[in-house]
Amino acid sequence: MKTYSIATIPGDGIGKEVVPAGQQVLEALAKTSSTFRFEFENFDWGGDYYRQHGVMMPADGLDAIRNKDAILFGSAGDPHIPDHITLWGLRLKICQGFDQYANVRPTRILSGIDAPLKRCKPEDLNWVIVRENSEGEYSGVGGRVHQGHPIEAATDVSMMTRAGVERIMRFAFKLAQSRPRKLLTVITKSNAQRHAMVMWDEIALQISKEFPDVTWDKELVDASTARMINKPQTLDTIVATNLHADILSDLAAALAGSLGIAPTGNIDPEHRYPSMFEPIHGSAFDIMGKGLANPVGTFWSVVMLLEHLGEFDAAKQVMSAIEQVTANPKLHTGDLGGKATTVQVTQAVCELLTAGAQRKAA
């Protein structure tokens, strides 16, 4: 029997509620399998750790999780700690430390979800956004001088490398090639950003020649927001820079019904390091501890984790259970207009996994 070693990092806010829920789902799934099981190790890094130690995670923290098969992450963000400290001190430290250069965010309208685009059929909004996750606008290059003086200046430099752009483009084209429509949209802003984004465009054209069966086009990031709303059916796979995809994927999640259902994977495609899977909803301190958090984004992230491990049948089982739950309005949490609790949604998914295994055994 295969044993997968999973690091759980709940982080801050509702991450402390949804990550244990995700672990429950994985444990329920493992009980139905004769071929794999999971071992979990929890890490209490985040805002509370920062208040005790002055850092979001220990200096040798990456070594503690380096040999894990995957990481299940909650959120980084605390209203009492500056955002750049929480982000750079935890999530980005892991993403960049393990060169998780492909951030993958699938988006579609799940069964039973009342999405805001009333003219949009579920089959019209079925996207996957590929976000360059290691450089670009979040490269960390820049600084501040003359702080507190009238001549104070600050810079943040968007740095792109040919190697970084080539590998994310190749990843995006391969992903588009694997999907039924074989359609890719490259997001750019080369009309205004005339150096790095022009190189981005040139490399997209270069890599496209390796994938003659993929139809692709190019769209300015501002125009793409309107296209996502007005012509969702014209999009399928989307690739964008670190900042552009960060923004567009939140819009995509909202168009699909709620940020609470949206997953993401921070992927090392070469499997040199563990990849990290997380919901995109953030720490949501306003509902922390109330049992109101929607765990579906975490469960869908679990699906991505299973796919990354090669457990595709198990991933389908969990996704089926998720959609059976979202199809039931009585199991909608507050972000979806319902009154269900985190515990109720989690129990429902676990029960469906158990029932499905019993039907197969019978």
Side-chain angles (χ1 to χ4, degrees), residues 324-347:
Q324 289 179 70
V325 165
T326 60
N328 182 354
K330 293 182 180 178
L331 291 172
H332 286 186
T333 46
D335 57 307
L336 297 173
K339 296 181 180 179
T341 66
T342 310
V343 169
Q344 288 170 334
V345 176
T346 304
Q347 287 177 341

Side-chain angles (χ1 to χ4, degrees), residues 181-305:
R181 297 178 67 189
K182 300 185 188 300
L183 177 65
L184 176 67
T185 296
V186 176
I187 303 298
T188 186
K189 193 57 182 170
S190 52
N191 60 339
Q193 295 173 286
R194 59 182 183 165
H195 301 298
M197 292 306 301
V198 170
M199 184 182 77
W200 170 272
D201 292 351
E202 291 172 353
I203 292 174
L205 177 60
Q206 167 199 324
I207 299 299
S208 72
K209 295 175 182 177
E210 301 175 18
F211 300 88
D213 56 335
V214 174
T215 301
W216 75 286
D217 66 349
K218 186 173 66 174
E219 186 79 81
L220 294 174
V221 62
D222 44 334
S224 70
T225 60
R227 180 174 170 185
M228 289 169 75
I229 295 169
N230 294 324
K231 297 181 179 179
Q233 71 279 5
T234 68
L235 295 164
D236 187 82
T237 308
I238 300 165
V239 62
T241 68
N242 216 329
L243 175 62
H244 293 164
D246 191 7
I247 296 167
L248 292 178
S249 57
D250 275 19
L251 172 59
L255 294 176
S258 170
L259 265 67
I261 62 175
T264 190
N266 303 285
I267 308 294
D268 166 28
E270 285 74 45
H271 292 264
R272 300 159 297 170
Y273 308 103
S275 294
M276 182 165 68
F277 302 86
E278 59 177 322
I280 74 168
H281 51 55
S283 55
F285 263 69
D286 57 325
I287 61 169
M288 176 186 176
K290 299 179 181 179
L292 303 177
N294 190 342
V296 168
T298 301
F299 299 160
W300 198 346
S301 299
V302 162
V303 171
M304 298 182 72
L305 183 154

Side-chain angles (χ1 to χ4, degrees), residues 29-357:
L29 178 70
K31 289 177 182 177
T32 72
S33 173
S34 60
T35 60
F36 63 81
R37 66 188 188 95
F38 300 101
E39 288 183 351
F40 299 93
E41 185 175 0
N42 189 64
F43 296 86
D44 63 347
W45 304 335
D48 290 340
Y49 190 92
Y50 179 86
R51 277 181 276 274
Q52 293 179 8
H53 304 281
V55 290
M56 294 289 288
M57 63 182 285
D60 61 352
L62 292 181
D63 291 333
I65 58 177
R66 187 179 303 275
N67 294 319
K68 302 297 184 182
D69 292 302
I71 304 162
L72 185 61
F73 185 81
S75 62
D78 187 302
H80 306 294
I81 304 171
D83 287 342
H84 68 280
I85 291 176
T86 58
L87 184 66
W88 283 94
L90 184 57
R91 185 183 174 278
L92 288 185
K93 188 171 182 178
I94 296 171
C95 290
Q96 295 191 351
F98 289 152
D99 199 20
Q100 297 165 347
Y101 66 83
N103 179 281
V104 181
R105 298 190 171 191
T107 304
R108 60 186 175 88
I109 300 174
L110 300 181
S111 301
I113 301 296
D114 183 21
L117 292 181
K118 302 309 176 189
R119 294 178 290 110
C120 176
K121 301 186 290 291
E123 60 268 26
D124 290 341
L125 202 165
N126 186 348
W127 308 329
V128 59
I129 297 176
V130 176
R131 170 184 175 185
E132 200 293 313
N133 208 37
S134 65
E135 52 183 39
E137 303 89 347
Y138 297 172
S139 62
V141 178
R144 293 175 67 180
V145 295
H146 308 301
Q147 292 188 45
H149 297 280
I151 58 171
E152 182 174 354
T155 62
D156 276 298
V157 179
S158 174
M159 186 178 71
M160 297 187 192
T161 65
R162 173 165 288 275
V165 178
E166 283 185 355
R167 67 183 185 176
I168 199 64
M169 286 294 176
R170 191 167 282 113
F171 179 90
F173 270 96
K174 283 182 179 178
L175 182 58
Q177 188 181 51
S178 72
R179 287 167 60 84
R181 297 178 67 189
K182 300 185 188 300
L183 177 65
L184 176 67
T185 296
V186 176
I187 303 298
T188 186
K189 193 57 182 170
S190 52
N191 60 339
Q193 295 173 286
R194 59 182 183 165
H195 301 298
M197 292 306 301
V198 170
M199 184 182 77
W200 170 272
D201 292 351
E202 291 172 353
I203 292 174
L205 177 60
Q206 167 199 324
I207 299 299
S208 72
K209 295 175 182 177
E210 301 175 18
F211 300 88
D213 56 335
V214 174
T215 301
W216 75 286
D217 66 349
K218 186 173 66 174
E219 186 79 81
L220 294 174
V221 62
D222 44 334
S224 70
T225 60
R227 180 174 170 185
M228 289 169 75
I229 295 169
N230 294 324
K231 297 181 179 179
Q233 71 279 5
T234 68
L235 295 164
D236 187 82
T237 308
I238 300 165
V239 62
T241 68
N242 216 329
L243 175 62
H244 293 164
D246 191 7
I247 296 167
L248 292 178
S249 57
D250 275 19
L251 172 59
L255 294 176
S258 170
L259 265 67
I261 62 175
T264 190
N266 303 285
I267 308 294
D268 166 28
E270 285 74 45
H271 292 264
R272 300 159 297 170
Y273 308 103
S275 294
M276 182 165 68
F277 302 86
E278 59 177 322
I280 74 168
H281 51 55
S283 55
F285 263 69
D286 57 325
I287 61 169
M288 176 186 176
K290 299 179 181 179
L292 303 177
N294 190 342
V296 168
T298 301
F299 299 160
W300 198 346
S301 299
V302 162
V303 171
M304 298 182 72
L305 183 154
L306 291 165
E307 290 172 341
H308 188 69
L309 295 177
E311 299 291 350
F312 297 104
D313 288 342
K316 289 177 182 177
Q317 284 178 252
V318 177
M319 198 70 224
S320 174
I322 290 170
E323 293 215 62
Q324 289 179 70
V325 165
T326 60
N328 182 354
K330 293 182 180 178
L331 291 172
H332 286 186
T333 46
D335 57 307
L336 297 173
K339 296 181 180 179
T341 66
T342 310
V343 169
Q344 288 170 334
V345 176
T346 304
Q347 287 177 341
V349 170
C350 291
E351 288 170 4
L352 284 165
L353 291 173
T354 301

Side-chain angles (χ1 to χ4, degrees), residues 11-24:
D12 302 318
I14 62 171
K16 297 176 183 179
E17 300 167 63
V18 296
V19 165
Q23 180 174 333
Q24 281 183 253

